[in-house]
Amino acid sequence: MEYDFRKIEKDWQKKWKESNAYKVANDFSKPKCYVLDMFPYPSGAGLHVGHPLGYIASDIYSRYKRLKGFNVLHPMGFDSFGLPAEQYALDTGQHPAETTKKNIATFKSQLDNIGFCYDWEREVQTSDPNYYKWTQWIFLQLFNSYFDKKENKAKPIADLIKTFETEGNLAARSSQLTAFSADEWKQFDEKQKADILMNHRLAFCGYGEVNWCEALGTVLANDEVVNGVSERGGHPVVKKTLRQWYLRITDYADRLLEGLNTVDFSDAMKEMQSNWIGKSSGAEIEFGVKSQESGAKLRVYTTRPDTIFGVDFMVIAPEYELVEEITTKEQQKAVEEYITYVKSRSERERMAEKKISGVFTGAYAKNPFNGREIPIWISEYVLAGYGTGAIMAVPCGDERDLKFAKHFNIPVTNIIGTHFNGEEANPTKDAILENSGFLDGLVMREALEIAINKIEELGIGKRKVNYKMRDAAFSRQRYWGEPFPITWEDGIAKEWTGELPLVLPEVEKYGPGPDGQGPLANIPEWVAQELETNTMPGYAGSSWYFLRYMDNKNEKEFCSRAASDYWNQVDLYIGGTEHAVGHLLYSRMWTKVLYDLGYIGFDEPFKRLVNQGMIQGSSRFVYRVICKAMNNDGEGIEYNDIFLSKAFADKREKMESGNNEWNEILDLITHKLSIVFPKKNFQAKGFTIIPQHVDVNIVDGFELDIEAFRKLKPEFNNAEFIYEDGKYICGSEVEKMSKSKFNTVNPDDLVAKYGADTFRMYEMFLGPVEMSKPWDTKGIEGVHRFLKKFWRLFADETKGLIINDEEPTAAELKVLHNAIRKIEQDTERFSFNTGVSGFMIVTNELTDLKCHKRKILEPLLILLAPYAPHIAAELWSLLGNATAVLDAAYPTFEEKYVKESSKAYPVAINGKTRTELTIALDATQQQVEELVLTDETVKKWLDGKQPKKIIYVKNKMINIVI
RNA sequence: GCCCCGGUGGUGGAAUUGGUAGACACGCAGGACUUAAAAUCCUGUGACCCGCAACGGUCGUAACGGUUCAACUCCGUUCCGGGGCACCA
């Protein structure tokens, strides 16, 4: 009776499907547990071994919770709108809906293969009109709401209109919005009113810069732009301003920050989010510009108004509105050239640039306190979207400013005395100010407040809280996304009056529309209805999908209140850190809005978040040689079907024409040429080595399977290989797992070879779920061996079942209960790798004890069921159980079976362990000291001396200080 | 550049709260079983030194420095790898 995993797994998957074993009911009588994975984008490459890492972890946890009596919601779906499908459509003409459908089918079959406990009845797909109907509906809620600063929450825009009608916009006096009275509001025409309301809507329209590629006639995503040119075709890319939709997430900045205190995310994650929000306090200060009689003012934001006397220059963003106005004639050309240069640069490049660049405008600002003239510069490191787009540079206190000053020979004022050495800027707040007018002699920390007060008093600026976070751009000039249920009449955006969903129309081609508009602008009927031609971005659908799973068939609501009250927050959310500041912030914001508007009863979506590490690919390379050769008859060829093993290719750095390494390779090539062209007598003259990715699936460790290689690439049927030690060794590199790098490993292949249970446990055994690591299939055998060994506790090849009903011994009970404790703890704390090793240990121990007792093995089966559900189900039923192991009761750990009365303590001398002593657990300090001093090893180390101190930590260790 | 994470034997990793570094596996080496292979089982396996022995010694958790009776764990500096930086998802 062998462990026939192929048959067992197929049978059980079939049984589970037929019996609806994973159906989740909205059974409100049971305690609930909501376990969620970040749903995947169904890419054409299918699932690779990196995807299931988190899915297996959550599956184990879900099954574990079910055994513990919870009603567990553990759904799966697809984030099926997105750029790759659209690009594929552009390339091949296939409708994204078609390819997406195919890809989803592949993903689902791959997922089912691994034996996950999803209730597919609850699946959601963001590109399904029945789903995006509600995405559009929520968008309209955002569009029809504003953020009430007083109540610190979203409210219907109708409320705001009422306020305008009765009190006008008096509150606006303290902000940058225009103030008006109730009467004035009533006088405004429709367009004026609409424009004002647009300044308050949570989803609003504005203008923003995009990566524009003229040659492709389209807007490009950041990762489609490489070094200022388009990734496809290498065309120039510039900034272009287009009308865009935004979400007013900045209004939620404070609540997003505060909410972090109520959720169980890692400190790193919380830190990333709060850094992204970037709350800072300081002041906005206005500086007069010298050359401007018009009274143009330069408004800067600074967190350090205390350093105002140390300002040696100003830097404004190249996009700053006053650039043209203040630039002097002499500097005009230089400024224009610089701005042209900056236009070709992405924001990322601008921030990452180490090289200092900038240009002087010729204009000077005036320090409002001492009248000092300060040169105004333009530099790319100041971004228009941050603060006011202008900074005051204080080189003695800021490294970046100091480098800039040094580079352009701008004299540096020292206001912090000895705290500044002229070499390195010092951002201290503890220095006593010098050269600082009325602030002289004050500690900076205190000067800060005094400076702000003075600035406000003089009316040259005001206290200001600033956020680094910007409002979220919420539109794309693309096809494959949710259409906005918005129409434009006379420049006024209005809610579309039809019945949702507003279905994405068919298009003939997926290319861009006119003037940088999306493909929808090519459809006459669409344009005729004055419908918005932008579509929503990828994160629209993913910002609320966790709510739809709760009640995915509901046609009347996005989710019934009863369902969301019951399932409530996601108890455990698993996904990668790459979503730290995108998806996780947007979904938190949407949840808060839905809560504010009374649609759900909680304002944080995810109670606990676990970040799974990324499984990287371990790529393999072959080194192709392109060589030139000649023979004595003057015949010359270029030949490129020779591959060098790694050891030779590694020498290429050292190679120079004519040196030893070079000649060695030439000889090897010449030899190979004599095999390919037997009578020609070619002599290799020169060569280049080109590393090429090779499919990792035909490489064993580092050794290339040449037969498989020839089979896979018939064009290399006659290729020659230069071996080392009789093998062809490949190069390797750790990279992202991707089809284009030929380093993807398909779980299907591993499941076919070792079974789903082995695959699941191996992925967990690889290491902590949170850690990133390159994939390596080596080692899976060990896990497979373990499952076979586990099987042999129950069944013998020849004798069949070997289970008996004898009473367990104390030793056996101890082994079992140690395992219960370890595995339960490890599962709870998400340490699945040590959990797996716990199973290995208990199996090894029971094998050594030759234990085949039902009373020991049956509880063990329940422990294993979440990790390896198929083998557990099979053995469970072989033991004669009529019920499903899925709903068995989790075994309870009992202390009494594992209790010890003594412990083998490590005894250290000066911190180094020298021996071991077994001592009763309830021993006192004095007893231990006496005992320790009689020990031979200790005596030897003491060498007759008296110990200075004996440290005894109960249940831990003993340390003798000499 | 900025923010976050990581670095432990030949390899993946363990050490949960500062308390025996290397659990559990892989690989490798040797052995048993077998006509043979597969499968399975047993033994050894961080480096170095001494030695008849070892339940003997020294070193060792990226590097350097610090705190402590005690540091993989805490602090500081540096190096390397990964993720994010607002239109990939």
Side-chain angles (χ1 to χ4, degrees):
Chain A
M1 200 174 176
E2 270 192 307
Y3 171 40
D4 184 357
F5 60 87
R6 289 192 185 87
K7 183 172 181 305
I8 292 170
E9 293 182 356
K10 231 173 234 128
D11 284 356
W12 281 99
Q13 284 175 10
K14 202 170 146 227
K15 273 180 210 160
W16 288 326
K17 200 169 179 180
E18 285 166 359
S19 65
N20 257 328
Y22 299 129
K23 185 168 176 54
V24 180
N26 283 0
D27 171 4
F28 300 164
S29 67
K30 267 192 180 172
K32 69 98 189 184
C33 183
Y34 188 179
V35 181
L36 183 64
D37 294 281
M38 288 186 188
F39 62 169
Y41 174 79
S43 82
L47 207 66
H48 61 63
V49 289
H51 290 103
L53 185 72
Y55 304 162
I56 295 168
S58 62
D59 198 65
I60 291 172
Y61 192 76
S62 302
R63 289 172 180 272
Y64 164 77
K65 281 302 219 186
R66 179 167 172 178
L67 292 172
K68 285 264 182 178
F70 287 85
N71 188 18
V72 181
L73 179 56
H74 178 226
M76 184 48 81
F78 299 94
D79 191 11
S80 47
F81 273 133
L83 216 49
E86 182 160 349
Q87 190 56 46
Y88 193 71
L90 270 166
D91 295 342
T92 66
Q94 281 195 66
H95 197 289
E98 295 296 315
T99 50
T100 300
K101 199 175 149 195
K102 245 183 261 165
N103 294 346
I104 288 177
T106 310
F107 265 65
K108 277 173 91 164
S109 92
Q110 287 179 298
L111 289 168
D112 283 341
N113 226 347
I114 302 170
F116 291 123
C117 62
Y118 302 134
D119 176 2
W120 283 118
E121 288 290 298
R122 286 181 183 261
E123 176 187 358
V124 303
Q125 295 177 10
T126 56
S127 61
D128 177 351
N130 291 321
Y131 179 87
Y132 70 69
K133 166 181 178 178
W134 297 107
T135 308
Q136 291 173 332
W137 179 84
I138 296 172
F139 169 81
L140 288 176
Q141 305 308 307
L142 291 159
F143 178 71
N144 286 322
S145 304
Y146 77 109
F147 192 83
D148 186 313
K149 296 241 156 88
K150 251 189 263 159
E151 291 184 39
N152 200 23
K153 63 180 269 199
K155 286 165 67 178
I157 197 97
D159 289 8
L160 184 66
I161 296 172
K162 236 174 262 161
T163 313
F164 286 168
E165 283 167 352
T166 53
E167 334 171 347
N169 189 21
L170 303 173
R173 277 180 305 198
S174 61
S175 75
Q176 275 152 46
L177 300 167
T178 21
F180 49 82
S181 68
D183 284 337
E184 281 171 306
W185 169 260
K186 287 175 193 151
Q187 299 299 314
F188 292 147
D189 63 26
E190 200 196 348
K191 173 87 168 85
Q192 281 171 309
K193 283 182 181 169
D195 286 348
I196 289 166
L197 290 177
M198 198 54 109
N199 288 328
H200 294 270
R201 294 182 188 277
L202 288 179
F204 67 99
C205 223
Y207 286 84
E209 290 197 325
V210 294
N211 300 313
W212 174 252
C213 180
E214 186 64 47
L216 298 173
T218 185
V219 176
L220 296 178
N222 280 337
D223 69 336
E224 293 177 307
V225 183
V226 179
N227 298 323
V229 296
S230 64
E231 192 185 24
R232 265 167 249 273
H235 307 293
V237 175
V238 295
K239 290 271 171 306
K240 182 177 173 127
T241 303
L242 285 181
R243 183 177 59 75
Q244 303 284 0
W245 284 92
Y246 291 90
L247 300 185
R248 212 175 289 283
I249 191 169
T250 50
D251 278 349
Y252 277 92
D254 276 324
R255 276 177 61 192
L256 288 169
L257 225 37
E258 286 157 18
L260 290 175
N261 298 325
T262 70
V263 292
D264 182 8
F265 293 7
S266 70
D267 288 342
M269 173 63 59
K270 290 182 180 181
E271 208 169 325
M272 275 189 267
Q273 292 210 348
S274 62
N275 286 343
W276 178 266
I277 294 167
K279 184 175 182 174
S280 67
S281 55
E284 259 179 29
I285 310 172
E286 285 186 340
F287 289 78
V289 180
K290 180 195 163 196
S291 58
Q292 295 294 311
E293 266 115 64
S294 63
K297 293 261 167 81
L298 201 60
R299 212 173 68 229
V300 305
Y301 174 76
T302 177
T303 56
R304 298 295 302 272
D306 53 314
T307 62
I308 189 149
F309 288 92
V311 178
D312 289 315
F313 57 101
M314 299 283 182
V315 189
I316 59 177
E319 300 85 355
Y320 197 77
E321 47 184 359
L322 292 180
V323 166
E324 259 179 69
E325 195 180 330
I326 64 172
T327 300
T328 58
K329 273 219 178 70
E330 301 79 55
Q331 289 301 102
Q332 207 158 0
K333 203 170 157 241
V335 168
E336 275 167 17
E337 275 168 18
Y338 186 68
I339 287 174
T340 312
Y341 154 77
V342 173
K343 277 217 159 154
S344 72
R345 311 252 302 154
S346 73
E347 208 167 272
R348 179 105 41 100
E349 287 169 326
R350 284 172 57 174
M351 286 188 293
E353 187 57 83
K354 282 190 208 171
K355 215 174 67 207
I356 295 155
S357 77
V359 66
F360 181 43
T361 59
Y364 291 84
K366 251 193 194 156
N367 189 319
F369 288 107
N370 58 9
R372 202 173 128 209
E373 289 183 359
I374 309 164
I376 303 173
W377 288 71
I378 299 173
S379 178
E380 61 175 336
Y381 78 84
V382 175
L383 300 173
Y386 285 17
T388 61
I391 62 160
M392 52 181 232
V394 182
C396 71
D398 184 283
E399 194 56 38
R400 197 153 200 182
D401 294 347
L402 183 66
K403 287 201 173 120
F404 193 90
K406 283 190 169 162
H407 188 261
F408 289 108
N409 283 318
I410 303 169
V412 175
T413 308
N414 182 12
I415 54 168
I416 52 176
T418 52
H419 285 89
F420 177 58
N421 58 12
E423 290 303 312
E424 267 171 54
N426 188 345
T428 179
K429 282 186 182 172
D430 297 319
I432 293 172
L433 285 161
E434 299 175 9
N435 298 324
S436 289
F438 70 98
L439 296 173
D440 269 349
L442 289 169
V443 177
M444 299 176 100
R445 211 171 279 285
E446 293 157 13
L448 233 154
E449 272 302 298
I450 295 169
I452 295 179
N453 290 338
K454 190 84 173 179
I455 286 162
E456 288 198 315
E457 202 181 302
L458 294 175
I460 50 171
K462 58 178 188 274
R463 189 182 300 272
K464 179 90 198 260
V465 170
N466 208 40
Y467 300 93
K468 207 155 81 190
M469 181 167 67
R470 313 198 287 254
D471 282 329
F474 194 68
S475 49
R476 305 288 183 259
Q477 291 68 47
R478 294 286 180 179
Y479 173 71
W480 192 230
E482 300 86 346
F484 283 89
I486 290 287
T487 54
W488 288 91
E489 292 165 36
D490 306 318
I492 299 170
K494 289 188 179 163
E495 184 177 332
W496 180 62
T497 50
E499 194 192 323
L500 295 178
L502 171 56
V503 177
L504 186 64
E506 297 291 320
V507 286
E508 278 176 20
K509 58 186 185 66
Y510 303 95
D515 310 319
Q517 291 188 82
L520 296 184
N522 291 326
I523 307 173
E525 307 88 79
W526 193 265
V527 177
Q529 294 177 69
E530 301 184 283
L531 280 160
E532 169 66 60
T533 58
N534 284 318
T535 52
M536 298 187 202
Y539 64 83
S542 61
S543 291
W544 73 281
Y545 73 112
F546 47 90
L547 293 168
R548 189 62 181 170
Y549 283 131
M550 299 172 179
D551 193 13
N552 69 327
K553 298 279 193 315
N554 195 327
E555 289 179 9
K556 301 210 167 63
E557 298 164 278
F558 68 98
C559 171
S560 78
R561 185 64 195 258
S564 70
D565 279 350
Y566 173 65
W567 290 113
N568 214 271
Q569 288 173 294
V570 174
D571 294 282
L572 177 71
Y573 195 31
I574 302 184
T577 42
E578 67 271 23
H579 299 286
V581 292
H583 162 64
L584 283 168
L585 277 176
Y586 301 134
S587 46
R588 290 183 59 216
M589 178 205 171
W590 284 44
T591 303
K592 287 180 192 304
V593 175
L594 290 171
Y595 169 79
D596 288 351
L597 298 177
Y599 294 114
I600 55 176
F602 47 93
D603 86 331
E604 282 292 343
F606 315 117
K607 204 196 268 170
R608 175 179 175 199
L609 174 72
V610 169
N611 293 114
Q612 105 223 24
M614 190 174 269
I615 299 276
Q616 292 135 335
S618 185
S619 303
R620 293 291 180 272
F621 294 89
V622 290
Y623 300 94
R624 191 174 183 184
V625 173
I626 301 200
C627 71
K628 288 205 166 77
M630 284 186 72
N631 63 13
N632 293 334
D633 305 333
E635 197 179 341
I637 53 158
E638 189 176 289
Y639 193 73
N640 54 17
D641 281 354
I642 295 176
F643 292 88
L644 274 179
S645 189
K646 179 172 181 286
F648 301 106
D650 279 350
K651 293 181 184 165
R652 67 192 185 282
E653 313 260 280
K654 288 196 237 159
M655 285 175 197
E656 271 171 61
S657 181
N659 73 5
N660 286 345
E661 283 82 12
W662 180 269
N663 289 333
E664 183 191 357
I665 306 288
L666 275 189
D667 288 346
L668 288 166
I669 296 171
T670 302
H671 175 69
K672 287 294 175 189
L673 287 173
S674 72
I675 299 170
V676 185
F677 306 99
K679 284 170 197 153
K680 292 277 192 173
N681 244 334
F682 282 123
Q683 293 286 319
K685 298 292 177 197
F687 63 92
T688 45
I689 297 172
I690 300 172
Q692 289 183 343
H693 279 99
V694 60
D695 192 332
V696 293
N697 295 294
I698 58 165
V699 180
D700 178 20
F702 297 97
E703 189 186 347
L704 181 68
D705 180 341
I706 304 231
E707 285 315 305
F709 182 69
R710 289 192 208 272
K711 214 182 248 173
L712 198 72
K713 304 213 159 197
E715 66 268 33
F716 294 132
N717 237 328
N718 299 313
E720 284 295 327
F721 296 85
I722 295 173
Y723 299 104
E724 55 187 286
D725 303 328
K727 297 170 182 169
Y728 186 93
I729 303 299
C730 297
S732 70
E733 210 170 294
V734 173
E735 303 177 288
K736 255 192 184 173
M737 203 172 264
S738 124
K739 210 177 175 184
S740 65
K741 297 188 170 74
F742 300 102
N743 60 5
T744 58
V745 179
N746 187 338
D748 285 349
D749 297 340
L750 295 169
V751 169
K753 199 160 171 197
Y754 300 102
D757 287 337
T758 298
F759 177 70
R760 290 166 64 105
M761 291 194 94
Y762 181 59
E763 283 239 356
M764 293 300 97
F765 191 56
L766 275 178
V769 185
E770 302 89 349
M771 247 170 19
S772 292
K773 56 227 148 203
W775 176 262
D776 187 357
T777 304
K778 275 204 170 143
I780 195 168
E781 301 262 6
V783 175
H784 192 60
R785 240 171 260 164
F786 148 71
L787 280 177
K788 282 199 270 191
K789 195 167 179 178
F790 184 84
W791 179 267
R792 284 199 301 273
L793 288 174
F794 294 79
D796 185 278
E797 262 180 61
T798 48
K799 289 183 237 156
L801 266 195
I802 48 173
I803 291 293
N804 63 54
D805 286 317
E806 289 166 32
E807 282 305 310
T809 64
E812 288 164 345
L813 282 165
K814 187 172 167 187
V815 167
L816 172 67
H817 280 267
N818 270 327
I820 295 174
R821 174 164 61 184
K822 171 148 185 66
I823 287 155
E824 180 168 359
Q825 269 179 11
D826 285 350
T827 307
E828 263 325 322
R829 71 186 175 106
F830 254 66
S831 179
F832 300 110
N833 55 329
T834 55
V836 174
S837 104
F839 283 115
M840 289 172 170
I841 292 168
V842 65
T843 304
N844 290 343
E845 286 173 346
L846 290 179
T847 304
D848 288 347
L849 290 170
K850 299 195 168 52
C851 171
H852 304 288
K853 296 174 183 166
R854 176 187 292 269
K855 284 189 175 138
I856 296 293
L857 295 176
E858 207 166 68
L860 197 58
L861 264 187
I862 304 172
L863 292 184
L864 185 70
Y867 287 76
H870 308 87
I871 190 175
E874 176 72 10
L875 290 170
W876 183 258
S877 101
L878 284 177
L879 287 184
N881 289 294
T883 55
V885 71
L886 299 170
D887 291 309
Y890 205 78
T892 318
F893 167 69
E894 285 183 66
E895 184 81 41
K896 66 180 182 202
Y897 294 117
V898 300
K899 221 168 190 162
E900 308 264 0
S901 58
S902 64
K903 177 189 163 68
Y905 280 89
V907 180
I909 317 282
N910 284 338
K912 283 205 166 72
T913 308
R914 295 298 175 185
T915 185
E916 213 169 65
L917 269 179
T918 303
I919 300 175
L921 272 174
D922 53 7
T924 62
Q925 171 85 24
Q926 206 187 351
Q927 287 171 324
V928 168
E929 286 190 18
E930 280 164 18
L931 214 78
V932 154
L933 291 176
T934 59
D935 183 77
E936 284 307 313
T937 316
V938 174
K939 275 189 195 156
K940 190 186 93 188
W941 280 94
L942 275 175
D943 200 18
K945 280 174 279 191
Q946 273 302 309
K948 281 198 192 117
K949 203 175 175 186
I950 295 177
I951 292 154
Y952 162 55
V953 183
K954 224 174 205 172
N955 213 6
K956 293 279 185 196
M957 45 65 69
I958 295 159
N959 189 16
I960 301 163
V961 187
I962 302 174

